[in-house]
Amino acid sequence: MISLFERLLKYYNFTIEDYKAWVSLGREDDIPKPNDDKFFAMIERIKLAVKNGEKIVIYGDYDADGITSTSIMYMTLKELNAEVGYFIPSRYVEGYGLYAGRVDQFAEKGYKLLITVDNGVSRFDEVKRAKDKGMDVIIIDHHTIQEKLPEADFIFHQTYSNVTDHNISAAFLTLIVSHGLLGYYRPYYIVLAGIAALSDSMPVTKANVALLRLTFRYIEKYKYYNILSLGTDPIIDEKYLNYQIIPKLNAIGRIETTIKINDAVKFLTSDDHRTISYYASRLDAYNKKRKELTSSFSESNIRYIGGACIYESNLPLGLGGLLANRIMSEKKLPTIVLSRKEDEVVASLRTPENYDIIESLKDLEGLDEFGGHKNAAGLSFPYNKKEEMIIEISSRLIPSKEIIKRTAIELNIDEITSDSYKLISSFGPYGNSHPSPIFHLNISNQAFHSFTSNPKHIVAKVADVTIIYFNGRDKLNINGYTDLYGRFELNDYRGNTTLQFIVEFSTSENEIVLIK
């Protein structure tokens, strides 16, 4: 068997040079710095607005990327003593993107410079409306751009502006603008941009790797109360941000139906501990409500059409995707969660990995809106066409006949050491397009015993690792040994840090390619 290092290189298709470049990322110098006349002209326009005392307004979005982007831009401009305000739209009132009614209000209040963050590149009419009312418009957005662009004064976008050759979050773009205005990076702004990189599932490559490493380092170093008030896990990594911080920042936009969503920006931009604690408790309450609402679903409400699960929900629209993912994960079938919004049906789609929603529905007529990714998408259509659209969509969701091959790294028990874990960790951070490695272990069934609280869950202590297999009691092989596939993670319980192996599956319908 080749060395563990060689197996990891093979798993990620890295050369030794690739690995050296990978581990070297993590400095502020690794953050892209535009060298473009349009970028510098945009910076000068913002500085001129500050100098002349023009009123500036930032228009964000209701998810974690939009909230962090708005916070970075707002705090940056406040540092420059600008006359600046901000607005986060409600998913249920203004909806996504620049809203004409708010543009009118901004004009009435005398704002002269409108900066959109995490939205704008698809808002042609609203941008024109702002221009017609005497405002200059700057768009900072990372979403896919079309051949035609809004007639904004400046558009800052990762590929359009030649910043990177891969997607980065709007908060990362805003961080770059902040540096252009201030001449330096505020570590806290880097942390906010790093949170957005994970919340928006940006590809973990190049600049995003550097950003995430800086994020973990600065949280550890500066112990920002705004962040730590949402999650106290002493291990600061992707899991900490993904499970303790990001859900709480996203929950307010999913649950809150009024402009109180702007409280999330107040939370991130405050330096008063009492204020931060108050808003942290509110964000935690929104997240608990979100979990409560999506914790269960009624089996009797599920219809099966064309091999898909159809579920009509009366939950807030912002929870449709979470509910669809929950049903899909349990049923292992394409799932469509439907919600009614006046005379429109809003649908959230989730599928197993051997489906492609975008490809299946790319030429479907009758949709008002449609967007998303291969296994997760959202769309809408007129309510009076609900049944025919459901039947048509369901019939198009057909699994690929291609056999999905999953790769795993063969690991011997005696290789499970703290040094091995350090080596594995050097291939992080992990996320979209760069997941944590899956390992294969062959374990004696005799090593396992059931959880006291739930006998379906089993655990084993082997060498220096605790192996946990949720719902694994009935999945062990009868021949005495079981092939387990899973991932390693560190766990801290009351100050005691242990290495765990979380089993994902023991048998699979997918073909497994073992790296030995």
Side-chain angles (χ1 to χ4, degrees):
M1 187 183 293
I2 60 177
S3 70
L4 177 57
F5 177 62
E6 290 173 303
R7 276 172 272 163
L8 285 161
L9 289 178
K10 194 171 180 180
Y11 186 88
Y12 287 110
N13 197 27
F14 277 9
T15 64
I16 292 178
E17 289 71 28
D18 292 333
Y19 175 76
K20 289 179 180 178
W22 178 270
V23 296
S24 73
L25 291 168
R27 304 165 300 158
E28 289 185 359
D29 285 345
D30 295 322
I31 297 175
K33 295 178 178 63
N35 187 23
D36 176 81
D37 289 343
K38 290 182 179 178
F39 175 79
F40 297 128
M42 177 184 68
I43 295 298
E44 289 306 312
R45 176 63 188 93
I46 298 173
K47 287 182 176 179
L48 181 64
V50 174
K51 180 181 177 181
N52 292 341
E54 297 177 51
K55 293 182 70 175
I56 304 170
V57 63
I58 305 158
Y59 193 96
D61 187 32
Y62 43 70
D63 67 0
D65 190 14
I67 291 166
T68 52
S69 300
T70 302
S71 299
I72 293 168
M73 182 56 68
Y74 178 72
M75 288 186 289
T76 298
L77 291 174
K78 291 298 285 186
E79 281 194 58
L80 298 173
N81 296 315
E83 187 172 354
V84 58
Y86 61 83
F87 184 77
I88 302 292
S90 164
R91 182 192 300 261
Y92 302 99
V93 180
E94 293 86 5
Y96 172 75
L98 190 58
Y99 181 68
R102 293 297 177 185
V103 171
D104 294 343
Q105 290 182 0
F106 298 153
E108 290 169 5
K109 292 182 178 182
Y111 286 104
K112 295 300 181 184
L113 179 59
L114 168 62
I115 302 175
T116 70
V117 290
D118 198 27
N119 72 96
V121 293
S122 62
R123 292 303 189 200
F124 296 89
D125 294 340
E126 292 82 359
V127 169
K128 184 178 186 304
R129 192 183 192 96
K131 294 291 294 176
D132 289 344
K133 290 182 177 292
M135 284 182 273
D136 283 353
V137 180
I138 293 174
I139 295 172
I140 302 172
D141 196 358
H142 73 126
H143 292 96
T144 303
I145 57 176
Q146 309 299 322
E147 289 187 16
K148 183 181 178 182
L149 292 170
E151 295 178 359
D153 294 87
F154 299 98
I155 296 176
F156 189 52
H157 178 276
Q158 67 279 0
T159 54
Y160 175 75
S161 305
N162 297 315
V163 180
T164 65
D165 60 0
H166 57 280
N167 203 357
I168 61 178
S169 67
F172 200 168
L173 287 168
T174 308
L175 172 69
I176 294 169
V177 174
S178 173
H179 179 270
L181 290 167
L182 300 175
Y184 53 85
Y185 296 107
R186 284 279 184 202
Y188 182 55
Y189 303 170
I190 287 177
V191 167
L192 296 184
I195 289 170
L198 289 176
S199 72
D200 248 32
S201 296
M202 293 296 98
V204 179
T205 185
K206 301 179 183 178
N208 287 326
V209 173
L211 179 68
L212 287 172
R213 288 191 177 138
L214 287 166
T215 296
F216 303 148
R217 189 182 311 151
Y218 288 156
I219 295 175
E220 289 268 17
K221 181 177 180 179
Y222 296 109
K223 312 228 179 311
Y224 298 110
Y225 188 59
N226 313 68
I227 308 303
L228 298 182
S229 64
L230 293 181
T232 56
D233 193 326
I235 301 172
I236 307 299
D237 57 11
E238 308 92 310
K239 181 183 175 184
Y240 171 75
L241 294 180
N242 280 325
Y243 291 98
Q244 296 197 39
I245 309 303
I246 292 169
K248 294 175 183 178
L249 290 177
N250 275 327
I252 186 171
R254 297 183 186 279
I255 299 294
E256 181 56 59
T257 60
T258 72
I259 61 172
K260 283 186 178 180
I261 187 175
N262 286 267
D263 289 351
V265 178
K266 295 177 184 177
F267 164 73
L268 289 178
T269 58
S270 176
D271 58 7
D272 177 73
H273 275 217
R274 181 178 294 182
T275 300
I276 293 169
S277 295
Y278 169 75
Y279 285 122
S281 68
R282 298 303 305 139
L283 293 178
D284 186 57
Y286 282 117
N287 193 46
K288 287 178 179 176
K289 182 67 173 177
R290 186 268 304 173
K291 289 195 283 188
E292 175 190 327
L293 290 173
T294 59
S295 63
S296 62
F297 55 89
S298 173
E299 287 281 352
S300 61
N301 284 352
I302 295 179
R303 290 190 287 156
Y304 295 91
I305 299 177
C309 296
I310 312 299
Y311 191 91
E312 299 204 32
S313 169
N314 57 5
L315 295 181
L317 288 174
L319 300 178
L322 298 176
L323 183 58
N325 193 63
R326 184 176 187 85
I327 297 173
M328 186 276 294
S329 298
E330 183 169 318
K331 300 298 182 182
K332 309 300 182 187
L333 291 171
T335 297
I336 307 171
V337 170
L338 307 172
S339 302
R340 184 171 183 176
K341 183 182 180 182
E342 298 177 351
D343 294 328
E344 185 178 53
V345 173
V346 178
S348 296
L349 284 70
R350 298 293 185 271
T351 68
E353 60 181 331
N354 57 330
Y355 290 77
D356 189 334
I357 300 172
I358 304 302
E359 183 65 25
S360 298
L361 305 183
K362 64 182 181 181
D363 58 354
L364 177 61
E365 296 181 356
L367 298 178
D368 294 329
E369 292 190 17
F370 174 45
H373 309 285
K374 180 175 179 284
N375 302 120
L379 53 83
S380 62
F381 49 82
Y383 183 80
N384 60 10
K385 301 205 175 199
K386 183 179 74 169
E387 289 305 316
E388 63 183 89
M389 292 299 293
I390 291 173
I391 293 171
E392 181 62 25
I393 292 169
S394 301
S395 69
R396 287 169 172 253
L397 296 176
I398 300 172
S400 169
K401 294 181 180 179
E402 181 181 353
I403 297 175
I404 296 176
K405 293 183 179 181
R406 302 187 72 175
T407 304
I409 298 173
E410 180 79 31
L411 201 65
N412 293 328
I413 296 299
D414 58 8
E415 293 182 291
I416 305 175
T417 65
S418 57
D419 286 341
S420 293
Y421 184 74
K422 288 178 183 177
L423 174 61
I424 294 167
S425 298
S426 71
F427 284 82
Y430 305 115
N432 180 22
S433 78
H434 187 82
S436 58
I438 295 178
F439 290 93
H440 166 254
L441 298 175
N442 184 257
I443 303 296
S444 169
N445 295 351
Q446 298 300 316
F448 286 98
H449 62 271
S450 297
F451 278 34
T452 304
S453 57
N454 189 332
K456 291 183 179 180
H457 307 323
I458 54 177
V459 62
K461 181 71 174 178
V462 179
D464 294 327
V465 65
T466 300
I467 301 171
I468 300 174
Y469 193 179
F470 295 107
N471 296 308
R473 168 54 62 192
D474 298 328
K475 297 177 183 178
L476 299 179
N477 288 343
I478 60 174
N479 61 6
Y481 281 82
T482 299
D483 292 312
L484 304 175
Y485 299 87
R487 293 180 164 93
F488 287 100
E489 63 178 43
L490 285 181
N491 180 65
D492 184 277
Y493 182 69
R494 296 181 177 176
N496 182 34
T497 301
T498 57
L499 181 60
Q500 295 182 340
F501 182 79
I502 307 300
V503 179
E504 295 193 3
F505 55 88
S506 54
T507 57
S508 176
E509 295 177 359
N510 302 326
E511 183 177 334
I512 304 296
V513 178
L514 280 179
I515 298 176
K516 300 181 179 182

